[in-house]
Amino acid sequence: MFAIETMALTKQYGNRAAVKNLGMQVREGEIYGFIGRNGAGKSTTLKMLSGLAQPTAGEVRLFGKPVSDPAVRRRLGVLIEAAGLYPRMSARQNAMMKAKCMGLADEEAVDTVLEKTGLLETGKKKVRHFSMGMKQRLGVALALLGNPDLLILDEPINGLDPEGIREFRELLGELKEEGKTILISSHILGELSKISTGYGIIKDGELIEQITREELEEKCQDYFQIQVQDITRAVPVLEEAFPGIVAEVMDKESIRIYGAEDGAGVNRVLVEHQIPVCASGFHRMDLEDYFLERMEGGSRNV
């Protein structure tokens, strides 16, 4: 069953479509990395998923029900943009106020979320004296109140130092083990790749790809890249000499070759055909490279 499903989800601001016909499926128990450049439509999408913005067209369903259903809303925890903290209150006072607004009277639940996010020992320290990373952690703690089944987190690791990012990564792993579904957006793609089990890439308001971790790792193959002066001659020569390879033209001088094991042999064949090689070498596309290529318009193997 899908924890999140959207059908032709669209948000129009005047003549500009911030989100266009978006169809997203997030399975229960998944950590779904939501990726896109600034202005691509991430935050607008997350607001519609959370019921904080009304779609112009289309539909959002959470656990098979409309996002407007009160029973579904109680299963949802959200951190989008600023957490709406009271700067003159402590972390615990902020959490208690949020808990009371939710109808929760269990102080132990407040201490539990503060402990999970590393804020239990902040005592009476006021939020206005918190670092940005501490404020982010408090925002996540507030989102965890009520023990939601689905968490929607917009850039939650902004402002965290490396140790804080590691702790947050461990926290998400624990929440996944508890069976929670997590939709998380982040610009720190290297970290996102360590925790996500699936991904969605949004560009100019359109979801251009959804892909599982396994599919992504399969696409991130080793390749041999060469830079030549005559690319129009080089490709057919290589494909004839090495029938098992896939040669992809990257620009007017560069070719990526997938399936080549003998880099020296590739260079030798080109030189024998009087095609000068300016540079060559083996590379591995990591997950961040793949995301950047897709967001910049690449379509390899899609």
Side-chain angles (χ1 to χ4, degrees):
M1 181 178 178
F2 293 123
I4 300 172
E5 186 173 18
T6 70
M7 287 73 75
L9 190 64
T10 300
K11 183 63 175 178
Q12 193 91 13
Y13 293 104
N15 295 324
R16 185 180 71 87
V19 176
K20 312 169 193 173
N21 296 313
L22 186 138
M24 173 188 286
Q25 295 85 34
V26 180
R27 298 187 181 279
E28 288 192 40
E30 185 171 19
I31 299 180
Y32 186 99
F34 193 38
I35 302 159
R37 297 192 184 283
N38 287 334
K42 295 194 306 300
S43 292
T44 301
T45 300
L46 298 183
K47 288 175 182 176
M48 289 191 287
L49 297 180
S50 306
L52 301 176
Q54 187 69 25
T56 306
E59 185 180 2
V60 177
R61 299 187 75 81
L62 305 181
F63 301 103
K65 297 180 179 179
V67 67
S68 57
D69 188 316
V72 165
R73 297 293 289 273
R74 285 194 291 270
R75 301 179 67 182
L76 178 64
V78 177
L79 173 61
I80 296 179
E81 296 177 346
L85 305 175
Y86 291 91
R88 296 183 181 275
M89 292 183 177
S90 68
R92 196 169 193 279
Q93 287 172 327
N94 268 275
M96 284 299 300
M97 178 169 286
K98 172 75 179 293
K100 288 177 181 177
C101 290
M102 296 173 66
L104 303 174
D106 184 3
E107 292 190 20
E108 187 177 336
V110 169
D111 290 339
T112 297
V113 298
L114 292 176
E115 184 175 14
K116 277 188 174 183
T117 52
L119 295 172
L120 188 59
E121 304 302 322
T122 55
K124 295 181 180 180
K125 183 176 181 178
K126 290 181 170 53
V127 166
R128 65 180 177 178
H129 299 304
F130 281 15
S131 66
M132 183 178 176
M134 291 173 71
K135 291 176 182 176
Q136 286 293 98
R137 281 190 275 162
L138 181 52
V140 174
L142 299 185
L144 286 170
L145 283 169
N147 195 26
D149 296 312
L150 171 62
L151 281 171
I152 295 179
L153 307 175
D154 189 14
E155 301 287 349
I157 55 180
N158 270 5
L160 298 183
D161 58 23
E163 179 67 13
I165 290 175
R166 182 188 63 79
E167 291 172 354
F168 185 77
R169 188 168 67 236
E170 292 174 353
L171 170 61
L172 291 188
E174 292 169 8
L175 294 173
K176 184 179 184 302
E177 288 297 315
E178 294 174 11
K180 298 190 187 302
T181 306
I182 303 167
L183 172 59
I184 176 172
S185 75
S186 178
H187 284 94
I188 308 177
L189 302 183
E191 283 301 319
L192 204 58
S193 70
K194 295 176 183 176
I195 56 177
S196 299
T197 55
Y199 307 89
I201 304 175
I202 188 171
K203 178 182 178 184
D204 298 329
E206 298 184 52
L207 195 67
I208 60 173
E209 184 172 13
Q210 290 191 112
I211 186 169
T212 66
R213 171 188 282 176
E214 292 76 21
E215 290 169 337
L216 192 55
E217 289 177 350
E218 188 175 321
K219 290 187 177 187
C220 291
Q221 307 169 41
D222 292 329
Y223 62 89
F224 186 70
Q225 183 154 318
I226 56 172
Q227 188 174 345
V228 295
Q229 294 179 359
D230 191 347
I231 206 163
T232 56
R233 287 184 57 219
V235 172
V237 164
L238 290 172
E239 289 178 340
E240 182 179 351
F242 305 96
I245 69 163
V246 175
E248 178 188 7
V249 176
M250 303 305 297
D251 53 42
K252 62 181 181 180
E253 294 183 339
S254 300
I255 306 171
R256 282 185 185 174
I257 304 169
Y258 300 92
E261 298 180 358
D262 182 8
V266 170
N267 289 334
R268 184 174 60 253
V269 166
L270 291 172
V271 171
E272 287 173 354
H273 284 78
Q274 299 181 338
I275 302 172
V277 177
C278 304
S280 65
F282 279 101
H283 302 267
R284 179 168 180 81
M285 174 183 279
D286 62 20
L287 305 184
E288 186 168 352
D289 291 334
Y290 181 85
F291 292 141
L292 291 173
E293 181 182 287
R294 293 293 286 123
M295 285 188 283
E296 288 167 3
S299 58
R300 181 175 65 85
N301 293 341
V302 175

